[in-house]
Amino acid sequence: MKVFYFYILMLWTQISFAQKTFIFPKIKVQGTSVEQLTPANWKVIDQVNGDLNNDGSADLAVVFEYDKTIDEARVYGDNSSAIIKETQKPRILAIFFRDKSTGIFSLSTQNNDFILRSEEGGKLGDPLQQIAIKDQQLYLRFQGGSEWRWELGYTFKFENKDWFLTSAINLYYNQNNGDMTERIYDFKTRELFTTVGNLHRRDIANKKTSEVLYFSQLRTFKTFKKPWAWEILPDVYL
């Protein structure tokens, strides 16, 4: 009987360990440099400075990456049921506003999900292509695939004390023959512009259409989990 109880205890310990959820660190609320704001055991893999809240000061957006690989449950498809376990290094997006008089960076938002990981780009490798600031907006760009490739771009703007998705682009194309579908989303005007045709013969072979986008409210970092997780149209994921 003692052997039986010992076996049950060991099994419960193994299950508990296997199901242990990775805990993301809380980014420091304030600091004067990127080094001060970087959590222990994490490193900066990309950063950009620029005015994000129209106060004339150079704010800061940073992508941190953990120094070890872990098993992560990542959502795809409909943001809830299509969950895939990935073994990779977690990433964090942190955005800071800089006080013009003191030079102190204050945390505006921390997002642990939106930045694609290094293993999520397929044969093309790390999908994170660009993080940029222009016209008080934050631009995030990703790409991946193999023969069939995809490019994703998202633009967020800080308004009414939150980060709203204002526009996006999704390009899906065949590297060999150039067949493509490109969708450009303008969430401010609620318009979708679609181009279907050939990447190499845009002027003569492509069909362009536009339509109204229907959604209840603008998405934010809190309500838009990550790329590929918003079924914005039937069988169309952004």
Side-chain angles (χ1 to χ4, degrees):
M1 183 62 69
K2 289 183 179 180
V3 174
F4 174 75
Y5 281 124
F6 176 77
Y7 173 77
I8 293 298
L9 177 61
M10 290 296 294
L11 180 62
W12 179 85
T13 302
Q14 291 177 5
I15 293 175
S16 299
F17 178 79
Q19 294 179 343
K20 184 178 180 180
T21 302
F22 178 77
I23 299 176
F24 283 83
K26 291 184 178 180
I27 302 298
K28 291 182 179 179
V29 176
Q30 288 188 329
T32 56
S33 67
V34 175
E35 290 74 21
Q36 285 186 2
L37 299 167
T38 303
N41 302 317
W42 290 72
K43 66 178 181 180
V44 175
I45 62 170
D46 208 345
Q47 68 181 82
V48 63
N49 293 90
D51 189 2
L52 286 167
N53 56 354
N54 200 27
D55 66 351
S57 184
D59 303 310
L60 173 67
V62 187
V63 177
F64 299 109
E65 184 179 71
Y66 193 49
D67 63 5
K68 298 181 180 64
T69 58
I70 66 164
D71 290 337
E72 273 194 298
R74 299 281 282 166
V75 299
Y76 292 90
D78 63 2
N79 203 27
S80 58
S81 63
I83 299 176
I84 300 174
K85 187 181 80 170
E86 304 276 8
T87 302
Q88 55 201 1
K89 295 180 180 180
R91 290 176 170 177
I92 295 174
L93 171 66
I95 305 174
F96 302 88
F97 291 140
R98 181 179 180 273
D99 187 286
K100 196 171 184 178
S101 60
T102 65
I104 294 176
F105 292 103
S106 296
L107 182 66
S108 172
T109 190
Q110 173 181 345
N111 186 285
N112 302 330
D113 300 302
F114 199 84
I115 300 298
L116 292 178
R117 302 350 185 189
S118 63
E119 304 304 310
E120 295 180 313
K123 290 186 177 181
L124 287 186
D126 194 333
L128 179 60
Q129 292 299 301
Q130 183 186 40
I131 174 173
I133 295 174
K134 182 181 178 181
D135 299 327
Q136 288 85 53
Q137 297 184 102
L138 178 68
Y139 293 79
L140 300 171
R141 299 291 183 264
F142 308 95
Q143 72 173 20
S146 182
E147 178 183 351
W148 281 96
R149 300 186 178 185
W150 49 265
E151 295 182 8
L152 293 169
Y154 306 92
T155 304
F156 287 87
K157 186 174 179 62
F158 186 74
E159 295 178 317
N160 300 319
K161 298 181 180 182
D162 207 346
W163 288 93
F164 291 93
L165 180 69
T166 58
S167 64
I169 182 171
N170 184 348
L171 173 62
Y172 185 61
Y173 66 97
N174 186 288
Q175 173 66 13
N176 295 325
N177 60 29
D179 289 347
M180 71 151 194
T181 299
E182 180 185 60
R183 295 183 174 90
I184 299 175
Y185 304 85
D186 188 327
F187 296 105
K188 287 290 189 177
T189 62
R190 293 177 177 262
E191 292 179 289
L192 167 60
F193 303 94
T194 303
T195 301
V196 178
N198 193 279
L199 188 67
H200 308 308
R201 297 180 294 152
R202 284 178 173 267
D203 295 333
I204 61 175
N206 294 348
K207 179 182 178 181
K208 299 180 180 181
T209 60
S210 62
E211 59 188 294
V212 177
L213 279 174
Y214 294 97
F215 53 90
S216 58
Q217 58 186 359
L218 291 174
R219 294 293 179 105
T220 68
F221 279 124
K222 296 177 182 177
T223 58
F224 188 6
K225 187 75 172 177
K226 61 176 288 297
W228 302 124
W230 181 8
E231 189 177 13
I232 190 168
L233 296 170
D235 298 321
V236 176
Y237 296 89
L238 181 62

